[in-house]
Structures are given as C-alpha cells and as structure tokens.
Amino acid sequence: MNFHEYQSKEIFEAYGIPVPRGIVARTVEEAVVAAEKLNCEAWIVKAQVHAGGRGKAGGVKFCKTLADVKENANNMLGMTITTYQTGGMALPVNEVLITEAADIKKELYMSLLVDRANKSLSFVVSAEGGVDIEEVARTTPELIHTIVVENVEGLFPYECRKVGFNMGLSSKQTRQLTGIMMALHKMFHENDLSLVEVNPLIIDGNDDVVALDAKVAIDDNALFRHKKLAAMRDVTQEDPAEAEAHEHELNYIKLDGNIACMVNGAGLAMATMDVIKLKGGDPANFLDVGGGATAERVAIAFKIILKDPNVKSILVNIFGGIVRCDLIAQGIIDAIKEVGVKQPIIVRLEGTNVEKGKELIQQSGLAVIAAEDLDDAANKAVAAVA
C-alpha cells in the first residue's frame, strides 16, 4: 500500500526526520487558509497522487502570493494526473499539500528498499537527486552508491558517515545525514515498510539536510499489525478492479495483455503467465484466488476479470490440493451462468477429484474448452485470441 506525500511526511516527523512545514488541503479555501497559517514568503502547491513525476505533469507549482496559491489549488483540485509511474491510469487529485518554499542549495537522492538479491535492506544514495534521477542512473551510474544493511548487525553510524563523506557533505551535514539514515532504518523495520524514497533530499539555505519529498510504501501482508497506517489507504489512487479484488481478499494485478488468468496459488499463477508468454500470448492479469477457493470467490474473480475490456480469452488453471477439483468445477459452472461470460474459457484442472471435476464441466453444456495440461491450456488460450 502506498501513502500520499503528506502522510509519508507525518510518518517521517514521528521519527524526527526533518521535513518542510506543510498543511494538506481538500478545498481551495482550505489551501488559502493553510498558506496564511504557514506565514512564509513563498509557497509550493503540490498535488497529492500516488506517483512520481508530478512536477512535469503540472502537479507542483511555486507561488509568490496568496492569489497564486488560490489559482494553483483551484487548477489542481479535481484534475487528473498521468505520469510514467501511473501505469496508464489518470489519478484524481483530491488533496493538495501547501508547503513553505525551500531555499535549495543542492539536491540529493536517498531510498531504502528490500534488496532481494542480497536478502537484506539496502540504501541507495546519490549526490545527484531531483526529477532526473533516472537519467543519472542511466548515464552516470558511478554517482549512485548502494549500502547493504546486514540483517543481524543492522545499520552502523560509521556506514552513514562514510556515505556523507562520499557525497561531499560537510561534517555538520554528515551528522544530520547519519541521523536521517538511522531514523529511516528504524522506521522501516517498525512499520514493516517495503520502500522509502526521498527525492530530493536537499541541502537548504541554512546548510541543513532536509527531506523535501517523501514516498513510503508498506507491505500489505503486515497491515493487520498497523491499523493506523491501514486507515490511510486511498482507494481513489488504485485501479478500481484491483481495489475491488483487495476487498474480497483476492490477489489481482491488471496487466496489458488480452488473456486473463485465474489460478489458485501465486507460484502457479506466475508459471501460468510465463507459459502464456512462451506461447506468444500476453497475460491480461495476475489473479490468485487462493488455495481455499470457493464457488463464490470464483464468481467474484470472473466479474473482476471481465471489467477489463481487453480480455479476449480466459485461462483457468486450478490445482486441487486444499480444495477439490469438483467443487472448483461447480464454482466455474455457476459463475459462468451467473456472470454470463462470452469470452472463450479454457480450463485446466489437476489434483483431488480431477476426473469428477472434468465430468461436471463436460456435462454442463457450456462452451468451455478443456485442456489436458498447462502447455495445452496455454496453446488453446493463445489460439482463442488469434
């Protein structure tokens, strides 16, 4: 689950990480009042969406007067923003963050993430931050440094100081950077986060290190332990079908292809998508209905799949381990009748009571294409959209 910038900064402040003063506003009037409360010489109006690249999309504006604040807030609230990070979605702007304008001497970059290759957490830092950090990574990767944090020993202050000196910071700034890195590491662990990004991390007019921006994501599987953070979820920033699937405890991610997948088990779902690609097709989604799939869950899954107008065929790949194949088969039959699926459906069943399950589908009278194995199912699913 992702957080808005203002929510991320609230978490930062709780751990003593310095951020510019700011107030979130949901109406133009609130934006003006917020600017007056901040009582500064200039302001920044920032659209609150779950994506980077807002500045280039018109979602970050510098304001010298209250009239500028009013005008920009009015333009942003209610607009939609599409950037290279929105996955083709136009995200609605329902809130804006009014912050004091910072005097920026230098832009840095810092992130903390789960490093699967090293099976640990890793900091990624650079003395060249800002909106073009991707270009820095592409053209001058030597300017980006990675610090692998040992799982047992944790993060040591000397490692942070080394980062600061490598970035050319002064002794004062290196001490501040060390405090920020130690706080981020603690925050990451205590809140079961999956990503923290500060871009830019700046040196301001007072030569202090400040987190000008903040991006935070939490591991969804840990939300039950963090009720307060879970309450910050903003479903307007999510794909509607993915949000609906989340409510029904289905693991669904929309993709760009036209062959929908309904599978029980994340590993089997990944393998199914791989085989579809190998056969020349393109998966329309990742959908794991769970090991204990029921007829009701299957029906809901079909409804979610059919919300995607790009779907031309549906591959159902079920391994009956915890759940019996005959129960899944009946669920598929009931779901097709209830939902009225018109796309070709290819079904591959394997496992407990598989023969009974296949018999139920054959006797249903529905236009369901049976498959012997995953290879056969993928071939038929690809052929159905050719």
Side-chain angles (χ1 to χ4, degrees):
M1 186 186 89
N2 295 320
F3 296 91
H4 283 298
E5 176 191 357
Y6 77 90
Q7 295 169 329
S8 299
K9 286 180 173 177
E10 288 175 2
I11 302 172
F12 275 27
E13 287 185 297
Y15 283 84
I17 299 170
V19 298
R21 294 182 303 139
I23 301 173
V24 68
R26 295 169 181 83
T27 66
V28 175
E29 293 72 21
E30 287 182 5
V32 174
V33 171
E36 291 174 337
K37 285 183 178 179
L38 291 173
N39 189 28
C40 48
E41 294 181 358
W43 304 263
I44 304 293
V45 178
K46 308 177 80 173
Q48 297 300 284
V49 292
H50 287 176
R54 294 170 298 169
K56 294 182 178 180
V60 179
K61 294 293 184 181
F62 176 79
C63 303
K64 290 185 177 181
T65 67
L66 290 175
D68 291 341
V69 172
K70 182 177 182 179
E71 179 183 358
N72 286 306
N74 184 62
N75 291 338
M76 287 185 199
L77 287 167
M79 73 180 289
T80 58
I81 285 181
T82 303
T83 77
Y84 64 95
Q85 291 189 6
T86 62
M89 282 184 61
L91 300 179
V93 179
N94 301 316
E95 301 162 314
V96 292
L97 178 63
I98 313 300
T99 70
E100 58 181 343
D103 181 5
I104 303 174
K105 283 190 174 181
K106 176 71 174 175
E107 292 186 350
L108 315 172
Y109 175 87
M110 177 174 291
S111 63
L112 178 58
L113 47 82
V114 177
D115 185 342
R116 300 190 186 281
N118 290 301
K119 300 179 181 179
S120 66
L121 299 184
S122 287
F123 277 96
V124 178
V125 298
S126 175
E128 299 294 330
V131 296
D132 294 319
I133 185 63
E134 289 85 359
E135 184 65 15
V136 173
R138 189 181 68 83
T139 58
T140 52
E142 67 276 7
L143 297 178
I144 296 180
H145 308 280
T146 300
I147 301 90
V148 177
V149 182
E150 293 294 334
N151 293 318
V152 177
E153 291 87 351
L155 181 67
F156 288 99
Y158 81 86
E159 295 175 295
C160 305
R161 291 194 292 270
K162 185 177 179 180
V163 171
F165 293 135
N166 286 339
M167 295 170 71
L169 302 185
S170 67
S171 297
K172 166 191 169 184
Q173 293 158 357
T174 297
R175 287 195 300 272
Q176 293 173 339
L177 182 76
T178 299
I180 290 172
M181 291 181 67
M182 298 298 290
L184 285 177
H185 185 253
K186 181 181 180 183
M187 181 183 81
F188 202 101
H189 273 288
E190 291 184 350
N191 295 283
D192 296 304
L193 303 181
S194 58
L195 171 71
V196 174
E197 184 178 50
V198 186
N199 186 29
L201 179 71
I202 67 164
I203 299 173
D204 68 10
N206 296 318
D207 286 328
D208 291 322
V209 182
V210 177
L212 191 64
D213 200 355
K215 180 178 182 180
V216 173
I218 188 172
D219 185 340
D220 287 2
N221 295 308
L223 283 173
F224 72 95
R225 287 200 291 260
H226 306 282
K227 302 298 184 183
K228 187 175 180 180
L229 296 180
M232 294 182 180
R233 183 180 176 213
D234 184 354
V235 295
T236 68
Q237 301 294 305
E238 302 173 16
D239 180 278
E242 292 182 11
E244 181 181 357
H246 183 274
E247 292 301 320
H248 293 285
E249 298 182 343
L250 296 172
N251 296 311
Y252 172 87
I253 300 173
K254 185 181 180 303
L255 302 174
D256 297 329
N258 54 15
I259 300 175
C261 307
M262 184 191 304
V263 190
N264 65 329
L268 187 58
M270 295 296 290
T272 301
M273 293 191 296
D274 286 345
V275 176
I276 288 174
K277 289 292 290 185
L278 286 172
K279 299 301 180 180
D282 288 303
N285 63 268
F286 169 96
L287 175 56
D288 171 18
V289 294
T294 63
E296 181 184 6
R297 287 170 69 84
V298 170
I300 293 169
F302 268 117
K303 291 176 182 177
I304 291 171
I305 282 173
L306 295 175
K307 290 182 183 293
D308 183 354
N310 296 324
V311 170
K312 304 302 179 186
S313 71
I314 302 172
L315 194 165
V316 180
N317 185 19
I318 300 294
F319 180 81
I322 299 174
V323 62
R324 293 175 3 215
C325 286
D326 56 325
L327 294 180
I328 287 295
Q330 189 60 54
I332 293 170
I333 293 167
D334 294 343
I336 293 172
K337 290 179 179 178
E338 177 188 348
V339 179
V341 184
K342 295 181 173 58
Q343 290 87 341
I345 301 175
I346 297 86
V347 177
R348 180 255 184 168
L349 297 175
E350 192 58 71
T352 308
N353 284 6
V354 62
E355 295 303 328
K356 188 174 181 180
K358 290 180 178 179
E359 183 180 344
L360 284 170
I361 290 177
Q362 290 170 354
Q363 295 176 353
S364 68
L366 299 173
V368 176
I369 303 170
E372 290 301 317
D373 52 36
L374 179 52
D375 198 65
D376 182 41
N379 279 326
K380 289 177 177 177
V382 172
V385 301

